[in-house]
Amino acid sequence: MRGQESAKRALVVAASGGHNVLMIGSPGTGKSMLAKRLPTILPPLMPSESLETTRIYSAMGRLGSDEPLMRQRPFRSPHHTISDAGMVGGGSIPAPGEISMAHHGVLFLDELPEFNRRSLEVLRQPLEAGCVTISRALNSTTFPARFVLIAAMNPCPCGYLGDARHACKCTPMQIERYMGRISGPLLDRIDLHIEVPGVPFQELSAQADGTPSAVMREQVGRGRRVQQQRFGSDSNILNSRMSSRQLRRYCPLDEEGKGFLKTAMEELGLSARAHDRILRVARTIADLEEAPDIRAGHVVEAISYRSLDRKLWTR
Ligand SMILES: [Zn+2]
């Protein structure tokens, strides 16, 4: 069950540094289960976060009478038929959408290529800014929307490309069209691409659950403590949100690390944005080990999470 274990490792990295994730795998490989695990390994809401989330739910009348305060990180998983307004907010009197209901929590988009391209495009700006502004003729309203995005997709339209258990029936053209539904700019904002391999049923049932959530939570907590020491405990900056100045300051590489990154850039044809994403992820991986310096091994692991770049650009 190495595949599942490496997917869990990626989840720990994502939860610790607040990195967005895309999981690619055949149906039945447990992508939804992994996504649902993400909020359970995130640290508890800080009081200020709890208040902000509560304010959104309260304004929408979505707060239960028995729960005056949101204590759990929200997990939202809108269906792919959702409208733009449902996703980011809207209406004549602007109301928050799913991304604001996921504030300080997790937004899970299953079957990512099935989403209307426009409702994915409108995610780009909030993913960058951590908020969304709904403009109307007379005024505009800004809602907070700081969440970890976790998306899932099949490797091809039939779902079984690369799966040893079933043959894939798709033509190269169909696969290309399917992958093409996810725009490069959106993909650029997703730090970790992970392939969740199909696991034969016997193997799955013979194995224990692997790394338990409690252990994952502990690892995430360790990584978060290092980040708090770096950015200050009341700042809500995580490695995934470092500015370019902070990136230069906190993510210097040694010669070996620079060499790996340069080679990857050339071979995968990575964008400058992807380059910076790799640095941010490498910082998170080093923090999980409480390593003050980013070493080559951290860079290599961070590069391994860009598998989709390779697929998209080498075809
Ligand atoms: Zn297929």
Side-chain angles (χ1 to χ4, degrees), residues 156-161 168-170:
C156 66
C158 85
Y160 293 107
L161 180 68
C168 166
K169 300 189 201 79
C170 310

Side-chain angles (χ1 to χ4, degrees), residues 18-306:
H19 302 284
N20 300 319
V21 185
L22 174 59
M23 295 181 291
I24 307 127
S26 304
T29 47
K31 288 172 290 183
S32 303
M33 297 289 289
L34 284 163
K36 285 181 190 140
R37 206 178 249 235
L38 187 54
T40 73
I41 62 169
L42 285 167
L45 281 173
M46 291 192 286
S48 59
E49 293 177 329
S50 176
L51 285 173
E52 283 178 27
T53 330
T54 301
R55 209 170 296 141
I56 295 164
Y57 279 74
S58 152
M60 298 179 77
R62 302 280 288 253
L63 216 54
S65 54
D66 53 339
E67 46 162 7
L69 204 61
M70 292 278 294
R71 294 181 192 282
Q72 306 285 335
R73 291 196 183 267
F75 178 84
R76 302 295 305 175
S77 54
H79 190 254
H80 58 74
T81 52
I82 192 167
S83 66
D84 301 356
M87 183 73 98
V88 294
S92 48
I93 301 165
E98 288 290 337
I99 61 169
S100 295
M101 292 174 75
H103 186 50
H104 291 313
V106 174
L107 180 72
F108 176 43
L109 303 182
D110 199 4
E111 312 276 4
L112 189 67
E114 303 299 328
F115 279 77
N116 175 333
R117 203 176 163 117
R118 270 207 32 204
S119 39
L120 295 183
E121 292 302 303
V122 290
L123 281 178
R124 280 165 46 184
Q125 191 267 338
L127 277 172
E128 210 78 6
C131 61
V132 61
T133 301
I134 318 277
S135 300
R136 290 290 170 266
L138 294 176
N139 55 16
S140 64
T141 313
T142 298
F143 296 115
R146 177 77 75 196
F147 54 89
V148 177
L149 171 69
I150 181 161
M153 65 186 284
N154 292 334
C156 66
C158 85
Y160 293 107
L161 180 68
D163 190 314
R165 303 166 301 171
H166 299 264
C168 166
K169 300 189 201 79
C170 310
T171 65
M173 180 85 114
Q174 284 172 319
I175 296 171
E176 194 157 336
R177 205 177 308 134
Y178 180 77
M179 300 300 274
R181 284 193 217 157
I182 299 161
S183 73
L186 177 68
L187 211 56
D188 258 356
R189 285 165 175 81
I190 299 180
D191 297 358
L192 310 170
H193 311 158
I194 51 177
E195 293 183 59
V196 188
V199 182
F201 181 71
Q202 303 90 305
E203 210 177 302
L204 197 72
S205 50
Q207 289 276 344
D209 276 345
T211 314
S213 287
V215 173
M216 293 166 75
R217 197 156 42 233
E218 201 181 290
Q219 294 166 342
V220 171
R222 193 186 312 143
R224 289 270 177 138
R225 277 193 297 281
V226 174
Q227 293 173 76
Q228 277 174 3
Q229 283 159 10
R230 176 179 306 126
F231 303 117
S233 58
D234 49 349
S235 92
N236 58 12
I237 299 177
L238 293 171
N239 290 336
S240 57
R241 301 173 203 153
M242 274 190 277
S243 66
S244 26
R245 230 181 85 211
Q246 286 167 323
L247 202 66
R248 282 196 298 278
R249 179 162 171 205
Y250 298 120
C251 304
L253 297 183
D254 59 13
E255 287 310 313
E256 201 187 354
K258 274 184 201 158
F260 278 118
L261 189 51
K262 185 164 176 284
T263 310
M265 291 287 294
E266 288 163 3
E267 281 182 5
L268 306 180
L270 298 182
S271 65
R273 210 190 278 269
H275 171 277
D276 290 356
R277 303 250 152 216
I278 290 172
L279 281 183
R280 291 185 175 97
V281 171
R283 183 66 268 170
T284 300
I285 294 167
D287 288 348
L288 287 170
E289 283 175 20
E290 295 172 281
D293 298 318
I294 300 177
R295 293 192 301 267
H298 306 135
V299 176
V300 171
E301 184 180 342
I303 292 169
S304 74
Y305 296 127
R306 303 299 310 180

